[in-house]
């Protein structure tokens, strides 16, 4: 007898699926798609690759419909398909049964297909609660991960806003009761509250709008991240403003403003700033104590919040002083801006003292800025604090104090210039130039006012000429050498001075100037 040939290993025999994958034509593609749900897991990867390669709509729809049946490697191939390549299949899957809808939601969530979010919004109103809940979860996930101001956020808002605007209105063609939608829609709306929403704002102008009561309750409670993140932008929406202020007060009291500032720039938006400036109880919108455990960004935003609120001066000063002692440089720098604003207004001595303490504390950029702030304060108010600046280890801080004192000396000299005789002027000039930065401060103030008297101009020319000699060797200011050159030096600092007036037209030879 002839020996029997051993049967081939089943794992090595070509399968029907493999044969179909290698067979061209639409009939083979349709058969391959039909075989997908019953094929063995080891065959899935080749079948998926073949259907993707062929690119036919029926084959791609089969991939979405049966995504939950595919092995991990085959499913990974589907998830790796370039954006928009499966859009048509995903749209068709929403009407192709429960599993297909769930698979389409998974694809949109995993691939962040925000341009298909309108399908997810529609799915939140499906009659099956489990599918509606899953669609809401996908929508909230997409909205929560979208960066504020991004194209993704704008695309999602364009899908969510019409559904929220239609909340509580009669169903189409009078079928059933009012359309309430899913609570996840409101969560997504709150997560996207920083995006412009003219459609919803117009709809909310109707006092009986169905979405207003649940939104007001959620915003006022400020119980979740979505609600806290929406507080600032909703201050600009008049029907929700009171609820947003109540939520902000609650967040300040219970969670030291955690999660309230996902978009710090909103604090400078005119509508938001106006709402804060008009707050009836501004103190309730601040935490009970400085939130040291909050993030640096949140502490920095708290300074801006303090600036925007109509707080009593003493309350604002207390917050600014706390901010000046914060370890974060950006927080201290923001607080210094408020010190500058305070100096231009009423002026709190405690704030200037806090700024001086910061200036003397360490060699940091904000300490140097604080030194400049103190040095720029009116002379009578900065005087007690210059000693602290002189004792600082940072040379730049000490220089700020020296410049302030030099400016005072220069100002005194110029103020008394008309009343001093030649020797007295010389002594005053020598004293001013002997100070660090004194000559620089004097030159910066040398230009005469347009309405200066001839005597004043003569005195300034004499001063300018004397300053052309090295410090310590200035001639008495009763005589000036090279007066024309002195006028030229002065004229450079006097816009539109023109030629010297007749009283100052002097001969080129050394001449005497009246004191």
């Amino acid at each position: 007898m002839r020996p029997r040939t051993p049967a081939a290993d089943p794992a090595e025999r070509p399968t029907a699926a493999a044969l179909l994958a290698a067979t061209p034509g639409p009939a083979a593609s349709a058969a391959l798609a039909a075989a997908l749900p019953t094929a063995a897991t080891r065959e899935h990867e080749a079948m998926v690759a073949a259907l993707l390669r062929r690119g036919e709509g029926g084959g791609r729809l089969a991939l979405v419909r049966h995504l939950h049946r595919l092995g991990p490697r085959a499913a990974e191939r589907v998830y790796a398909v370039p954006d928009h390549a499966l859009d048509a299949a995903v749209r068709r899957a929403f009407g192709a049964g429960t599993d297909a809808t769930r698979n389409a939601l998974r694809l949109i969530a995993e691939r962040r297909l925000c341009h298909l979010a309108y399908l997810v919004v529609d799915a939140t109103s499906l009659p099956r609660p489990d599918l509606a809940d899953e669609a809401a979860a996908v929508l909230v996930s997409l909205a929560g991960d979208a960066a504020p101001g991004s194209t993704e956020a704008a695309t999602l808002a364009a899908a969510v806003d019409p559904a929220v605007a239609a909340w509580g209105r009669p169903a189409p063609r009078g079928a059933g009761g009012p359309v309430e939608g899913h609570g996840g829609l409101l969560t997504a709306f709150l997560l996207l509250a920083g995006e412009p929403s003219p459609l919803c704002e117009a709809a909310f102008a109707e006092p009986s709008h169905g979405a207003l009561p649940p939104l007001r309750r959620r915003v006022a409670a400020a119980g979740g991240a979505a609600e806290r993140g929406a507080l600032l932008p909703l201050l600009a929406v008049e029907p929700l403003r009171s609820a947003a202020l109540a939520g902000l007060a609650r967040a300040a009291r219970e969670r030291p403003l955690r999660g309230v500032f996902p978009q710090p720039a909103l604090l400078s938006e005119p509508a938001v700033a106006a709402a804060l400036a008009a707050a009836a109880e501004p103190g309730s919108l601040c935490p009970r104590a400085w939130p040291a455990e909050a993030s640096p960004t949140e502490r920095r935003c708290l300074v801006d919040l303090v600036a925007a609120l109509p707080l009593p001066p003493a309350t604002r000063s207390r917050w600014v002083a706390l901010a000046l002692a914060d370890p974060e440089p950006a927080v201290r720098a923001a607080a210094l801006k408020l010190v500058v604003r305070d100096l231009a207004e009423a002026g709190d001595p405690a704030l200037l003292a806090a700024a001086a303490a910061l200036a003397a504390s360490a060699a940091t950029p904000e300490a140097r800025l604080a030194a400049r702030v103190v040095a720029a304060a009116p002379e009578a108010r900065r005087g007690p604090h210059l000693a602290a600046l002189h004792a600082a280890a940072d040379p730049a801080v000490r220089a700020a104090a020296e410049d302030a004192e030099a400016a005072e000396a220069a100002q005194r000299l110029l103020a008394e210039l008309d009343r001093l005789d030649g020797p007295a002027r010389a002594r005053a000039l020598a004293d001013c130039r002997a100070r660090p930065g004194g000559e620089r401060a004097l030159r910066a103030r040398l230009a005469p006012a347009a309405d200066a008297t001839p005597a004043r101009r003569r005195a300034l020319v004499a001063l300018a000429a004397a300053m052309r000699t090295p410090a310590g060797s200035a001639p008495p200011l009763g005589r000036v050498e090279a007066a024309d050159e002195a006028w030229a030096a002065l004229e450079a600092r006097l816009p539109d001075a023109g030629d010297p007036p007749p009283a100052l037209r002097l001969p080129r030879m050394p001449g005497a100037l009246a004191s």
Side-chain angles (χ1 to χ4, degrees):
M1 292 179 60
R2 295 176 60 188
R4 297 178 62 182
T5 304
D9 186 342
E12 297 176 358
R13 290 202 304 264
T15 62
L19 291 173
L20 285 172
T23 303
S29 296
L32 191 61
L36 189 61
T38 58
T41 301
R42 62 186 174 85
E43 298 174 315
H44 286 166
E45 194 171 1
M47 296 172 75
V48 167
L51 289 170
L52 290 174
R53 184 173 60 251
R54 291 165 186 258
E56 294 165 351
R60 294 192 171 187
L61 175 59
L63 292 177
V64 178
R65 289 184 64 184
H66 304 300
L67 180 62
H68 61 293
R69 301 179 185 273
L70 299 180
R73 296 183 64 179
E76 190 61 34
R77 276 182 172 266
V78 178
Y79 285 122
V81 172
D83 287 350
H84 301 288
L86 289 178
D87 284 4
V90 170
R91 292 188 188 98
R92 292 172 64 187
F94 273 94
T98 300
D99 288 336
T101 299
R102 187 168 279 119
N103 291 342
L105 289 170
R106 287 172 58 194
L107 269 170
I108 291 174
E110 291 291 330
R111 293 300 311 278
R112 295 196 54 76
L113 304 177
C114 294
H115 60 285
L116 299 180
Y118 68 94
L119 298 170
V120 184
V121 170
D122 291 343
T124 61
S125 60
L126 288 172
R128 284 195 52 160
D130 57 335
L131 280 181
D133 289 348
E134 188 164 343
V138 169
L139 190 61
V140 168
S141 173
L142 292 174
D145 291 340
S150 65
T151 301
E152 278 190 351
T155 302
L156 290 166
V160 169
D161 288 354
V164 175
W167 193 288
R169 292 180 179 173
R173 291 185 290 277
V179 178
E180 289 193 356
H182 194 287
L185 269 176
L186 295 185
T187 302
F189 170 78
L190 292 171
L191 288 168
L192 299 166
E195 303 302 313
S197 180
L199 184 63
C200 287
E201 290 185 30
F204 293 162
E206 182 182 338
S208 61
H209 191 279
L212 288 176
L215 279 174
R216 284 173 178 146
R217 286 193 298 271
R218 292 181 58 172
V219 171
E227 291 79 6
R228 292 195 297 276
L231 293 174
L232 286 184
L234 291 184
L235 287 173
V237 182
E238 197 280 330
L240 295 170
R241 185 171 299 149
S242 295
L245 286 170
L248 192 57
R250 193 180 194 93
R253 184 171 62 252
E254 296 180 358
R255 298 178 182 84
L257 298 174
R258 280 292 176 90
V260 172
F261 306 110
Q263 293 177 267
L266 285 173
L267 283 164
S268 59
E269 285 292 320
V272 174
L276 292 171
E281 299 181 17
S284 68
L285 305 182
C286 296
R288 290 191 176 97
W290 184 256
E293 73 284 1
S295 71
T297 298
E298 288 171 329
R299 302 197 305 273
R300 164 72 176 80
C301 288
L302 175 56
V303 177
D304 290 340
L305 179 64
V306 166
L309 291 171
L311 295 167
T315 303
R316 178 181 287 112
S317 295
R318 179 172 64 86
W319 285 112
V320 174
L322 290 170
L324 287 172
D326 191 272
E328 179 63 28
V331 176
R332 298 196 294 267
L336 283 170
K337 292 182 181 179
L338 293 191
V339 177
V340 173
R341 190 178 82 173
D342 177 78
L343 289 174
E345 296 173 358
D348 186 346
L351 282 188
L352 203 58
L358 171 59
S361 62
T364 60
E366 60 274 11
R368 293 165 191 151
L369 177 60
R372 293 294 170 186
V373 169
V374 173
E379 180 179 347
R381 291 164 57 191
R382 74 186 174 206
H385 306 296
L386 289 182
L389 270 58
H390 278 299
D394 189 347
V397 172
R398 296 198 301 273
E402 292 166 355
D403 286 350
E405 292 179 334
E408 291 173 15
Q411 198 64 37
R412 281 195 301 271
L413 171 60
L414 293 174
E416 299 170 359
L417 192 61
D418 297 345
R419 298 190 297 272
L420 299 176
D421 60 15
R425 286 182 194 171
R427 288 193 298 272
L429 175 61
D431 176 68
C432 187
R433 296 176 84 183
R435 296 176 180 273
E439 186 156 342
R440 183 174 65 251
L442 192 57
R443 289 184 185 280
R445 293 162 174 78
L446 195 56
D451 59 351
T453 64
R456 174 74 173 176
R457 287 177 177 269
R458 285 196 300 271
L460 287 169
V461 169
L463 190 64
M467 288 177 64
R468 294 174 64 82
T469 63
S473 60
L477 297 192
R479 294 187 59 82
V480 176
E481 305 294 329
D484 285 349
E485 293 182 12
W487 175 261
L490 182 59
E491 187 181 35
R493 297 183 177 276
L494 183 63
D496 302 321
D499 293 330
L504 288 180
R505 289 197 185 108
L506 304 174
R508 292 199 174 276
M509 67 180 63
L513 287 177
S515 298

